[in-house]
Amino acid sequence: MTTKPQLYSLKMRASQQNNHISGAENIITEPELEEYCLRLLKRALQHSKGKPDFINLKIEAVQPEEILTLPAMPVHTITTDTPEAGMAAVRGQMERLGLAHIEEIMQIWQQSYAMRGAMLLDADTLQRLEPDPERGVRATYIDAQNLPGALAAKQGKNHFNEALVLATKVAHHPNIVAELCISDDPDYVTGYIAAKEIGYVRVTTLKPLGSPDGGRVFLFRGNQAELADCIDYLQHQKVLVQM
Ligand code: PML
Ligand code: MG
């Protein structure tokens, strides 16, 4: 009888004087662990945001029955040449979703640039919903499923693949209305708006090249019990995404 190898969640986060530099994660088998630890360590040490003075590698066992497997969201691309045109494209998608308070949400999005995690915002009352507003909420315990076509998502930094994995997990929760994202990497200007109704809509220019500004907002609609469920899902549910 052959036994399946033990699965592990591996997470890396790196910072410099408490400022976030880089974070990444995988869900992998025991034989892959050494290789992926090295990959994430190299990634922490070679980031365009600077040299970290703190690197944390966290390894936790995961049981197969704890994992939810989801198909990746459909992807669409809107090509824009300037941040202004990019932001206008995001506004257009928010209109398609029937969101009220679009301008307010666009303003509040900028407050997420200083946060470690994402902002969780009530889509209608605009109330901030994170238990710790400085830390924000983290959508974590995610990876691309280990299929041959998905290896690019697991090996080396691939902004698009990693974001599609995260966005697929986030949008799957019934009380998430949409997600807005700009990368905090100075050399990456493509961002997205994602939602169940519209899929993952990439917008190719959302900020000027060289800008370190970036952050995520998860728009929520629901009651208190649904909020608790949503935060627990985002932070604890293990998810593998079929790319
Ligand atoms: C990040 O750097 O964490 C966010 C990446 C956004 C990727 C957008 C895309 O290329 O589709
Ligand atoms: Mg980054």
Side-chain angles (χ1 to χ4, degrees):
M1 194 182 89
T2 53
T3 48
K4 286 200 170 162
Q6 172 67 51
L7 287 170
Y8 287 94
S9 152
L10 165 65
K11 295 189 206 173
M12 175 277 288
R13 66 189 164 90
S15 60
Q16 187 190 67
Q17 295 186 340
N18 269 330
N19 292 316
H20 171 82
I21 296 271
S22 154
E25 65 175 290
N26 292 109
I27 296 174
I28 45 177
T29 61
E30 188 173 336
E32 295 171 304
L33 204 46
E34 195 176 319
E35 178 192 343
Y36 279 83
C37 279
L38 204 57
R39 263 185 224 282
L40 292 192
L41 183 59
K42 280 189 184 154
R43 198 162 137 174
L45 290 169
Q46 293 166 359
H47 201 274
S48 63
K49 288 192 90 156
K51 267 289 172 238
D53 55 23
F54 174 84
I55 301 171
N56 181 298
L57 283 177
K58 185 174 177 182
I59 301 168
E60 297 164 277
V62 171
Q63 304 314 322
E65 59 274 14
E66 295 176 275
I67 298 177
L68 173 67
T69 303
L70 299 173
M73 310 176 87
V75 177
H76 313 278
T77 303
I78 301 177
T79 303
T80 53
D81 295 329
T82 61
E84 293 71 30
M87 288 300 181
V90 172
R91 284 187 181 87
Q93 296 302 308
M94 291 169 85
E95 277 166 21
R96 270 180 76 192
L97 290 169
L99 286 167
H101 315 300
I102 292 176
E103 287 316 312
E104 291 94 326
I105 292 170
M106 297 298 283
Q107 290 292 323
I108 296 171
W109 190 3
Q110 293 174 22
Q111 293 166 24
S112 74
Y113 298 174
M115 293 168 59
R116 269 172 58 196
M119 184 185 284
L120 187 60
L121 189 70
D122 189 301
D124 304 309
T125 67
L126 304 184
Q127 194 190 342
R128 296 270 304 267
L129 301 170
E130 316 89 70
D132 175 348
E134 235 174 275
R135 184 171 182 272
V137 289
R138 304 182 80 86
T140 184
Y141 293 109
I142 45 176
D143 203 351
Q145 204 179 35
N146 213 354
L147 301 170
L151 275 181
K154 295 175 88 85
Q155 297 178 350
K157 168 89 184 178
N158 182 318
H159 290 85
F160 165 62
N161 281 316
E162 289 183 9
L164 180 59
V165 165
L166 185 147
T168 298
K169 174 180 181 179
V170 172
H172 179 75
H173 192 273
N175 297 95
I176 293 289
V177 175
E179 178 193 349
L180 307 175
C181 171
I182 302 182
S183 176
D184 61 348
D185 293 5
D187 52 6
Y188 202 81
V189 299
T190 299
Y192 65 89
I193 172 168
K196 282 179 272 296
E197 290 89 335
I198 59 172
Y200 179 98
V201 182
R202 304 183 78 194
V203 180
T204 58
T205 306
L206 272 188
K207 67 174 186 180
L209 195 64
S211 164
D213 293 341
R216 284 188 158 92
V217 179
F218 304 148
L219 295 170
F220 171 92
R221 183 175 288 136
N223 62 32
Q224 280 301 318
E226 289 164 335
L227 174 62
D229 179 75
C230 183
I231 293 174
D232 184 56
Y233 168 83
L234 293 172
Q235 303 202 136
H236 299 117
Q237 174 66 54
K238 280 103 185 164
V239 171
L240 283 175
V241 175
Q242 296 166 324
M243 308 291 274

